[in-house]
Amino acid sequence: MDHPTQPDSPPVTESEVFVVVDSATNGRLNHSRNVNGCIISPDTDNDNKGKGRWETLILAYKTLGVVFGGLVTSPLYVYPSMHLKSPTEDDYLGIYSIMFWTLSLIGVVKYASIALKADDQGEGGTFALYSSLCRNMNIGMLTSRPTNSSSSLSPSLLDEGTEKQSRLAKFFRKSVVARRVLLFIAMLGTCMVIGDGILTPAISVLSAMDGIRAPFPSLSSSVVEALSAVVLIILFLLQKFGTSRVSFLFSPIMGAWTLCTPLVGIYSIIHHYPSIFKAISPHYIFRFFWRNGREGWLLLGGTVLCITGSEALFADLGHFNRSSIQIAFLFTIYPSLVLTYAGQTAYLIRNPNDHDDGFYKFIPKSIYWPIFIIATLAATVASQSLISATFSVIKQSVVLDYFPRVKVVHTSNSKEGEVYSPEVNYILMILCVVVILIFGDGKDIGNAFGVVVSLVMLITTILLTLVMIIIWRTPPMLVALYFCVFFVMEGVYVSAVFSKIPEGGWIPFAISFILAFIMFGWFYGRQRKLEYELTHKITLDRLGVLLSDPSVQRVPGLCFFYTNIQDGLTPTLGHYIKNMKSLHQVTMFTTLQYLLVPKVAPHERIVVKKLGLKGVYGCVIQYGYADPLNLEGDDFVSQVTKSLQAHIQNCSGRLPSIPSEIQEEISDLEEARSAGVVHVRGKTRFYIGHNCGWFDRIMLAFYEVLHSNCRSALPALGVPPPQRIEVGMLYEA
């Protein structure tokens, strides 16, 4: 079974569609390829845009307001999230050593140096790694068989690539269970990132606003929670203006925060404990665990929060580029965090009982209020990084058909990775407010946050290891070194945070379970529909028989008939002809095809071909999961008809044709368009009979609920309402 090509597309804007004429007689598109056989999109490669140094530096400055908010504001809640009991100087030195090496190894080595190089043509995140693996191994993303018709590779290249594949890649090609496990890991990572987008705003804003209670002890925690909820609501209402405008507004705030906190940290180091950097020595870590044992292991659930937001560094890659993110992290964020945590630890060594309010206590009273204002604004910005990452992940899930269609708006003309979804935005807003109001204790939210952070990091490590083996062909010793270091390190973190599940850690599991159930229900329903359509497809020979029936008329007009499959036509077509007893004079069977690449070159976006029957043609619209697709009604029709005319003339140059027949075909096309254009798609539902098992009954009923409440595909294509026709049909489950 090939990868499903759905006529359902997320609503997007700000895109121009180009048309290319298929020059092959068999209608197969000849892509431009790189050495690995992947589609090349030079104009969409983030790192080959020829940006000058100043432009890169400006872009790096903008990343402060979008990418690093969650990471750089983590000092607000790391120490307060730890359950410390009578900590000593050695305890604090051990904790700082753990945080320093966590930031250095996971932040600098894993994400900034390795993960950013594993982008999928400029796109980052869990799905980018997953799609790269699927494309490289030539396995379907949703199905159990390799993708052929929907692949960007020719058969010869596929065969050649298969011979050169590693043993692990061949194992995935042969094992259905292995592919399903890989799919589950990708889904889990996606759900955890979305959960991160809920918890980051909650804990960041709540921790910052809690500082108001120091000068005003009479304020209750409920007042702080209410103020935090108001700040979050305002933040989510600003999302519709787009990431570019948000980053322009928020980057100065994060710049001030990134500069102020390390300066306060330096002051604290000098004033309280100048020799704090001796804790960089790893032997303090061994002494910490030797002395504290199980209690030290449990404290890892708090120390892991020092690396919160690091996944956004990778997931937000589509919003910026590799160079800008690396520059911002290595030269501003990383030094700022090292100095800030050093200053906090130096203060706590001299004031060991102030760990519950470890950030605001170490702020000198003379600058308390300015820092409080900056902290509150910075915490608001911190929420932005994961919100942006959540939008990106949802968009990728929608276009890959893992998630029900929601409205996805491109908010920038120049950056296709900048997206916004109204439905997702307001759902996130409601969940964030609920988390704050119900789980107002920062420690409970911190426990939940630790589960998300550690699991997402572990999943990224697993997928990156597969990328090294299958795609990069990294020497085995280096792969083993990478895997052992990071899998063991993050595995220990995961084991520690799992002990916090009863104390708030269940929150992300509940959120992830709901999201995973939605994704699996949608995936299962789409697969069952595809299986039915492939089993009951209408072949061209069958279509010829149907049209030869004297009772079937060819009515004037141009019809775009949307079909999910290319190897045959949708069963809805047979249902339509049998009941309407007609077919339009010129009919274009149109398929939207998702390729396993983030972007398709514009000149390869639309391909047309003749199907061998009079007035019957095929049209394939190809795009990747990071491509916007906006087919504005009449403009789209004009481009397709001009392309088809050129295609007809091009074919006549290779095949013996009578000039009068060619002219007649072109005239019929123009006449049909003048008579009117209509877009037809199937609106199918499952008929769940008595023979269905209980699993099918539950999952297909759930899918129908999702399908009935998600957005239609035709508005996404920019089709005017008067030109839309939906043909209802029941598929027997």
Side-chain angles (χ1 to χ4, degrees):
M1 187 186 302
D2 291 331
H3 173 64
T5 54
Q6 309 291 357
D8 301 335
S9 168
V12 293
T13 59
E14 312 293 355
S15 173
E16 184 177 3
V17 178
F18 295 81
V19 180
V20 63
V21 179
D22 180 19
S23 59
T25 56
N26 63 355
R28 186 171 62 242
L29 178 66
N30 295 317
H31 295 290
S32 300
R33 297 182 179 89
N34 60 14
V35 292
N36 293 322
C38 303
I39 293 179
I40 299 175
S41 302
D43 58 318
T44 60
D45 190 339
N46 282 336
D47 287 322
N48 294 322
K49 289 184 177 178
K51 290 184 178 296
R53 292 181 179 178
W54 283 108
E55 293 180 64
T56 302
L57 290 176
I58 292 173
L59 202 58
Y61 167 71
K62 288 186 175 182
T63 63
L64 297 179
V66 177
V67 177
F68 298 108
L71 185 58
V72 80
T73 55
S74 57
L76 286 169
Y77 46 78
V78 171
Y79 272 114
S81 297
M82 297 184 194
H83 298 269
L84 296 170
K85 299 177 182 178
S86 302
T88 64
E89 176 181 335
D90 284 344
D91 289 335
Y92 281 121
L93 291 174
I95 290 171
Y96 177 69
S97 187
I98 292 171
M99 291 193 290
F100 173 82
W101 286 106
T102 298
L103 287 168
S104 300
L105 291 175
I106 296 179
V108 176
V109 178
K110 176 185 171 181
Y111 281 103
S113 302
I114 299 176
L116 288 180
K117 294 181 180 179
D119 66 295
D120 195 5
Q121 297 186 15
E123 292 293 319
T126 304
F127 266 131
L129 293 174
Y130 179 57
S131 66
S132 294
L133 289 167
C134 289
R135 184 178 68 249
N136 211 274
M137 294 186 291
N138 188 34
I139 59 174
M141 297 190 70
L142 296 178
T143 62
S144 59
R145 290 180 57 187
T147 58
N148 294 322
S149 64
S150 63
S151 175
S152 61
L153 308 178
S154 66
S156 60
L157 285 174
L158 289 176
D159 294 338
E160 182 182 352
T162 302
E163 293 176 1
K164 296 181 179 179
Q165 283 181 345
S166 64
R167 293 181 181 178
L168 184 60
K170 292 178 180 179
F171 169 73
F172 275 102
R173 284 175 58 84
K174 294 178 181 179
S175 173
V176 176
V177 175
R179 289 196 295 274
R180 288 176 179 172
V181 170
L182 185 63
L183 171 62
F184 172 78
I185 291 174
M187 279 188 173
L188 183 61
T190 300
C191 294
M192 285 294 173
V193 170
I194 297 172
D196 205 353
I198 296 170
L199 295 174
T200 295
I203 193 171
S204 299
V205 175
L206 184 63
S207 299
M209 295 298 294
D210 196 53
I212 202 173
R213 297 177 63 185
F216 302 105
S218 59
L219 286 178
S220 64
S221 59
S222 59
V223 174
V224 175
E225 293 167 12
L227 290 173
S228 302
V230 171
V231 170
L232 282 175
I233 291 172
I234 295 173
L235 172 66
F236 280 104
L237 293 178
L238 290 175
Q239 294 301 310
K240 63 181 179 181
F241 295 108
T243 304
S244 292
R245 297 177 185 178
V246 169
S247 64
F248 176 77
L249 177 65
F250 286 170
S251 291
I253 298 171
M254 293 310 302
W257 170 265
T258 306
L259 178 64
C260 290
T261 53
L263 291 178
V264 175
I266 293 172
Y267 168 81
S268 181
I269 293 169
I270 296 172
H271 188 68
H272 295 291
Y273 200 84
S275 60
I276 183 65
F277 288 110
K278 68 181 182 181
I280 292 176
S281 173
H283 89 276
Y284 283 96
I285 298 176
F286 295 104
R287 287 175 57 182
F288 174 78
F289 287 116
W290 181 266
R291 188 172 56 257
N292 292 284
R294 184 176 184 275
E295 291 299 322
W297 169 68
L298 292 176
L299 286 174
L300 290 176
T303 58
V304 73
L305 298 182
C306 73
I307 199 70
T308 54
S310 57
E311 188 67 24
L313 183 151
F314 182 38
D316 279 341
L317 186 57
H319 292 244
F320 298 95
N321 63 36
R322 183 191 307 161
S323 299
S324 62
I325 293 176
Q326 287 176 329
I327 290 172
F329 179 76
L330 296 176
F331 294 100
T332 59
I333 304 302
Y334 175 70
S336 175
L337 288 172
V338 169
L339 290 172
T340 302
Y341 282 120
Q344 277 188 282
T345 308
Y347 171 83
L348 291 174
I349 288 175
R350 297 299 181 221
N351 303 273
N353 295 322
D354 288 345
H355 57 82
D356 280 337
D357 195 8
F359 178 78
Y360 284 108
K361 287 286 187 180
F362 99 110
I363 303 297
K365 293 183 178 180
S366 58
I367 58 171
Y368 185 89
W369 284 111
I371 294 295
F372 171 77
I373 294 172
I374 295 175
T376 303
L377 295 175
T380 306
V381 178
S383 309
Q384 182 62 48
S385 61
L386 270 300
I387 294 173
S388 299
T390 301
F391 289 154
S392 297
V393 167
I394 290 291
K395 188 234 176 173
Q396 292 176 11
S397 303
V398 168
V399 298
L400 289 174
D401 220 8
Y402 284 96
F403 202 80
R405 290 184 302 273
V406 294
K407 185 176 182 180
V408 179
V409 180
H410 284 77
T411 56
S412 171
N413 294 329
S414 58
K415 297 294 294 180
E416 293 180 356
E418 295 184 11
V419 293
Y420 161 74
S421 174
E423 295 100 330
V424 174
N425 185 60
Y426 294 123
I427 291 174
L428 286 177
M429 181 180 71
I430 293 171
L431 290 176
C432 283
V433 172
V434 168
V435 167
I436 283 181
L437 297 181
I438 297 180
F439 305 97
D441 186 357
K443 285 187 171 59
D444 284 344
I445 301 179
N447 292 334
F449 207 10
V451 173
V452 168
V453 171
S454 55
L455 276 178
V456 169
M457 290 192 306
L458 190 64
I459 288 171
T460 301
T461 292
I462 293 171
L463 294 178
L464 275 175
T465 302
L466 294 177
V467 167
M468 288 180 179
I469 297 172
I470 296 171
I471 301 178
W472 293 350
R473 308 293 178 88
T474 305
M477 287 298 295
L478 293 179
V479 175
L481 177 63
Y482 167 84
F483 183 77
C484 290
V485 170
F486 291 103
F487 187 82
V488 171
M489 184 177 180
E490 293 163 358
V492 172
Y493 272 128
V494 169
S495 67
V497 298
F498 266 33
S499 65
K500 304 294 184 181
I501 287 180
E503 303 171 12
W506 61 270
I507 302 174
F509 277 102
I511 295 172
S512 298
F513 177 81
I514 294 171
L515 289 173
F517 187 68
I518 291 173
M519 293 177 75
F520 183 78
W522 182 261
F523 153 74
Y524 187 79
R526 302 300 284 179
Q527 282 300 104
R528 290 299 301 271
K529 278 193 174 181
L530 180 63
E531 291 170 3
Y532 182 92
E533 290 175 349
L534 289 173
T535 304
H536 299 83
K537 63 186 178 183
I538 303 295
T539 63
L540 289 176
D541 292 338
R542 175 61 179 163
L543 178 59
V545 172
L546 291 173
L547 295 180
S548 64
D549 188 340
S551 63
V552 177
Q553 304 296 317
R554 299 298 292 270
V555 298
L558 171 61
C559 173
F560 287 86
F561 207 111
Y562 294 91
T563 176
N564 289 358
I565 53 179
Q566 291 186 43
D567 185 19
L569 302 172
T570 174
T572 309
L573 174 64
H575 182 68
Y576 176 82
I577 294 177
K578 288 180 181 179
N579 288 276
M580 301 299 293
K581 298 295 182 183
S582 66
L583 190 69
H584 284 77
Q585 178 184 356
V586 175
T587 301
M588 298 282 298
F589 291 104
T590 306
T591 302
L592 298 184
Q593 181 176 357
Y594 301 123
L595 298 182
L596 302 184
V597 293
K599 297 181 177 68
V600 175
H603 65 279
E604 298 176 340
R605 184 68 52 81
I606 299 179
V607 182
V608 293
K609 62 181 178 180
K610 300 174 67 173
L611 295 182
L613 297 174
K614 184 178 180 181
V616 179
Y617 306 94
C619 175
V620 179
I621 305 169
Q622 302 184 117
Y623 60 100
Y625 62 78
D627 268 325
L629 179 64
N630 188 30
L631 310 182
E632 294 294 343
D634 293 338
D635 183 62
F636 167 59
V637 173
S638 298
Q639 294 179 66
V640 173
T641 51
K642 288 179 181 178
S643 175
L644 186 55
Q645 290 174 358
H647 178 67
I648 293 170
Q649 294 173 348
N650 190 39
C651 289
S652 66
R654 298 193 306 271
L655 299 175
S657 302
I658 302 175
S660 59
E661 292 180 353
I662 298 172
Q663 188 59 42
E664 180 184 358
E665 195 170 358
I666 293 176
S667 299
D668 289 343
L669 178 60
E670 294 176 347
E671 180 184 344
R673 186 186 174 186
S674 300
V677 180
V678 66
H679 297 257
V680 180
R681 71 180 288 266
K683 189 174 179 64
T684 57
R685 296 180 63 89
F686 279 109
Y687 172 73
I688 304 175
H690 297 292
N691 295 329
C692 289
W694 65 269
F695 184 78
D696 275 351
R697 288 178 178 273
I698 294 174
M699 296 309 301
L700 295 181
F702 180 60
Y703 168 78
E704 289 298 337
V705 172
L706 295 175
H707 191 260
S708 299
N709 289 280
C710 73
R711 290 178 176 263
S712 173
L714 290 184
L717 301 176
V719 177
Q723 295 182 5
R724 303 176 195 167
I725 294 179
E726 294 187 342
V727 180
M729 183 177 179
L730 289 177
Y731 285 1
E732 186 174 357

